[in-house]
Amino acid sequence: MAKVERDSKSGPGDNRRGRQSRAALLDAGRTAFSAKRYEEVSIAEIASAAGAAAGSIGYHFGGKYELYLAVHEAVFEDFWGRLQELRGAALERMTQGFGIYLDFVQQHGTGLLMTPRAGADERLLAQHERHRDRLVEALLTEIVSAGDNATVRIAMDGWLAFIEGATARWLAEPDPDRDTLRSLVLAAGFATVQTALALDPSITLTSRTIAALLNLDGSQRTEREETS
């Protein structure tokens, strides 16, 4: 009841300060959780960086872990927003999209964008699964124009897991270079699509995907000729 009375008496200035305080805590949490593991970050550290009282984390988010979940959500939404801004041919957008993914992972580490390990909190796993499903749905819309999506859905889910594994290995051992990693990931993605198509002939690819496959094949042939 006390919180309701406080909110009912607050004016526009109080609401604005509240939003600013929440945003500052979210930014501070994003910085802290990008640099260190959850258990290594303290409420006092986040509050101090945000210029707020430690109790404000509980007020705005409910607690440290709820702030952690909110940081994950903010990173996901920023990443998704960047992807939606992409324009151009399918191969070009996929190339740029993977570049954005690498930028985010290098900025925030593997903990905020990559799928949590088995045994993680159910809320965190559900959050990641929801955003992964959204990305798979976007890929299906891009790739398939007709036919059963089940085979391609499994294939794309596996490809995303491959991207995470390859990127995590590359971050730990950055050799080969970023361009080679990108080429590997894209080639694996299109090979996965071709395999799904061979296994399920009822699938009809979109014209965008067909053009991307042809463009990728042409660019790979050119690279082989230049190095031979």
Side-chain angles (χ1 to χ4, degrees):
M1 177 64 77
K3 184 178 186 300
V4 174
E5 291 178 354
R6 181 172 63 251
D7 290 345
S8 65
K9 294 179 181 179
S10 62
D14 297 316
N15 292 335
R16 184 173 61 255
R17 285 191 294 273
R19 290 193 297 270
Q20 291 172 342
S21 176
R22 188 182 190 281
L25 289 168
L26 195 60
D27 286 344
R30 187 165 174 163
T31 299
F33 293 128
S34 294
K36 295 186 286 188
R37 294 194 300 270
Y38 173 80
E39 59 272 16
E40 296 175 334
V41 178
S42 69
I43 289 177
E45 173 186 352
I46 296 172
S48 176
S56 60
I57 292 177
Y59 178 83
H60 288 292
F61 298 96
K64 176 185 167 183
Y65 193 74
E66 287 71 21
L67 171 60
Y68 185 62
L69 293 176
V71 167
H72 275 261
E73 189 68 24
V75 171
F76 279 129
E77 289 300 329
D78 285 352
F79 175 65
W80 184 252
R82 290 283 305 280
L83 292 183
Q84 289 184 309
E85 292 173 356
L86 295 177
R87 298 292 183 271
L91 182 57
E92 180 182 351
R93 284 184 284 115
M94 289 188 69
T95 301
Q96 294 174 347
F98 182 65
I100 292 171
Y101 173 76
L102 280 185
D103 289 342
F104 267 72
V105 173
Q106 287 183 301
Q107 178 184 357
H108 300 295
T110 59
L112 293 183
L113 205 58
M114 291 188 175
T115 304
R117 294 181 178 180
D121 177 72
E122 290 184 1
R123 290 175 294 173
L124 183 61
L125 288 171
Q127 187 182 50
H128 277 261
E129 184 176 355
R130 174 167 52 84
H131 286 283
R132 189 187 186 102
D133 287 346
R134 181 165 68 165
L135 188 53
V136 169
E137 288 298 328
L139 288 168
L140 290 175
T141 300
E142 184 73 30
I143 294 169
V144 180
S145 64
D148 187 3
N149 286 346
T151 302
V152 183
R153 183 185 301 276
I154 293 173
M156 289 298 95
D157 202 53
W159 180 53
L160 292 178
F162 169 78
I163 290 175
E164 288 193 354
T167 301
R169 170 64 66 181
W170 180 77
L171 289 171
E173 302 172 10
D175 183 28
D177 59 23
R178 180 179 170 125
D179 288 342
T180 302
L181 175 65
R182 180 191 62 206
S183 297
L184 174 65
V185 163
L186 293 179
F190 285 112
T192 301
V193 171
Q194 291 174 313
T195 301
L197 183 62
L199 292 172
D200 188 352
S202 70
I203 298 170
T204 302
L205 302 180
T206 62
S207 59
R208 299 184 299 273
T209 301
I210 294 172
L213 286 168
L214 293 173
N215 288 340
L216 181 65
D217 182 66
S219 63
Q220 289 176 336
R221 189 182 303 113
T222 300
E223 289 177 0
R224 286 195 297 268
E225 290 173 352
E226 291 176 348
T227 55
S228 61

